[in-house]
Amino acid sequence: MSDHTHGEGQNGNAVPAPRDTGGEVIRVRKGMFGANNGGDTSGYGGLVRTVTLPGASSRPYGGWFDEVADELEGALEEQDLLPENAIEKTVVDRDELTFRIAREHLVQVARTLRDDPALRFELCTGVSGVHFPGDKGRELHAVYHLRSLTHGRLIRLEVSAPDSDPHIPSLVEIYPTNDWHEREAYDFFGLVFDGHPALTRIMMPDDWQGFPQRKDYPLGGIAVEYKGAQIPAPDQRRSYS
């Protein structure tokens, strides 16, 4: 079997590692759905669960992960950019490799990953927005999946920005297919991709207020009548923490 095969991961073990050992705890969830004031009807009101982001990994990462990390760091140094200034942390979790990148260096890192002959991540399959209200100062995350067709490898880049300054550089110049994906992340999460050629809503009406996939977005809904009873809208009959 080739070492480029991803089916069982780098360590030949597809079993996920537990998230509650180490990492960064950004929130503690109580109840099955985070409901309070008696709104949790699931029977799991006593459930307590931490929301944890995986912490930085230490070398050796295993398999070709070390090769990619070495090549990226070396290529950045050749451009007079200290790797520790651009790469905030490197995470190996679920046998997947993720580089957390400082947003001001995202464009340079992405171009390096695409153009360096030893890396050649020619394809970005899109960017997804993520909202962690408890991750103070970096509540909004953008996650990019990069694939090397030359070497048969897949990695992730992750960039964060605060709610108060939701700006991230656009990668459309480097990966043109990100055009639509950046618009969707803007539409649903409010991430502003600086330099995008036409950053407008793509799913919601142009005059829509707010960003529907943020976790603090109100549920909304319309009150309805049923057999003479008035049923409140969903956001009025349940309270979410």
Side-chain angles (χ1 to χ4, degrees):
M1 181 178 293
S2 167
D3 65 349
H4 292 170
T5 300
H6 299 277
E8 293 186 352
Q10 291 297 301
N11 301 316
N13 185 357
V15 179
R19 280 290 178 94
D20 56 355
T21 56
E24 304 172 63
V25 177
I26 60 171
R27 184 185 176 194
V28 177
R29 290 184 58 185
K30 297 182 179 180
M32 188 64 167
F33 302 107
N36 52 31
N37 298 325
D40 186 353
T41 60
S42 67
Y44 289 90
L47 182 67
V48 178
R49 179 171 179 250
T50 59
V51 179
T52 307
L53 300 181
S57 301
S58 57
R59 290 180 181 270
Y61 304 136
W64 53 263
F65 290 175
D66 291 279
E67 180 184 344
V68 169
D70 289 342
E71 293 291 350
L72 175 58
E73 292 174 6
L76 294 177
E77 288 176 342
E78 291 175 359
Q79 302 171 58
D80 296 323
L81 174 59
L82 291 176
E84 56 267 29
N85 290 340
I87 304 172
E88 296 176 343
K89 69 176 180 179
T90 301
V91 176
V92 176
D93 187 58
R94 270 62 170 178
D95 284 334
E96 296 177 332
L97 177 64
T98 303
F99 295 108
R100 171 75 72 81
I101 305 299
R103 57 179 172 170
E104 63 268 23
H105 298 300
L106 174 63
V107 172
Q108 185 173 355
V109 170
R111 183 176 286 110
T112 301
L113 286 164
R114 184 194 66 179
D115 294 345
D116 190 279
L119 296 168
R120 284 282 188 253
F121 286 91
E122 307 99 331
L123 175 65
C124 179
T125 58
V127 56
S128 301
V130 189
H131 186 211
F132 292 114
D135 196 11
K136 299 303 180 184
R138 53 183 190 187
E139 292 87 357
L140 294 170
H141 293 233
V143 181
Y144 304 81
H145 294 81
L146 304 184
R147 183 175 293 278
S148 171
L149 304 179
T150 298
H151 302 293
R153 295 168 175 174
L154 180 67
I155 65 171
R156 270 200 301 261
L157 301 183
E158 185 173 352
V159 183
S160 61
D163 269 339
S164 58
D165 181 27
H167 291 263
I168 291 175
S170 172
L171 292 186
V172 171
E173 177 185 356
I174 300 169
Y175 297 112
T177 53
N178 265 24
D179 188 344
W180 306 104
H181 296 281
E182 288 183 4
R183 286 181 59 191
E184 184 177 56
Y186 161 72
D187 195 357
F188 287 152
F189 291 92
L191 282 162
V192 179
F193 294 91
D194 296 328
H196 189 283
L199 194 63
T200 57
R201 290 192 182 271
I202 191 172
M203 301 293 287
M204 308 303 293
D206 290 340
D207 58 352
W208 192 266
Q209 299 297 310
F211 306 103
Q213 288 191 347
R214 289 196 184 188
K215 289 186 172 66
D216 55 4
Y217 187 79
L219 288 177
I222 300 174
V224 296
E225 292 185 6
Y226 181 72
K227 292 185 177 179
Q230 185 74 18
I231 307 300
D235 61 336
Q236 298 173 8
R237 63 175 182 259
R238 221 177 243 201
S239 177
Y240 287 80
S241 58

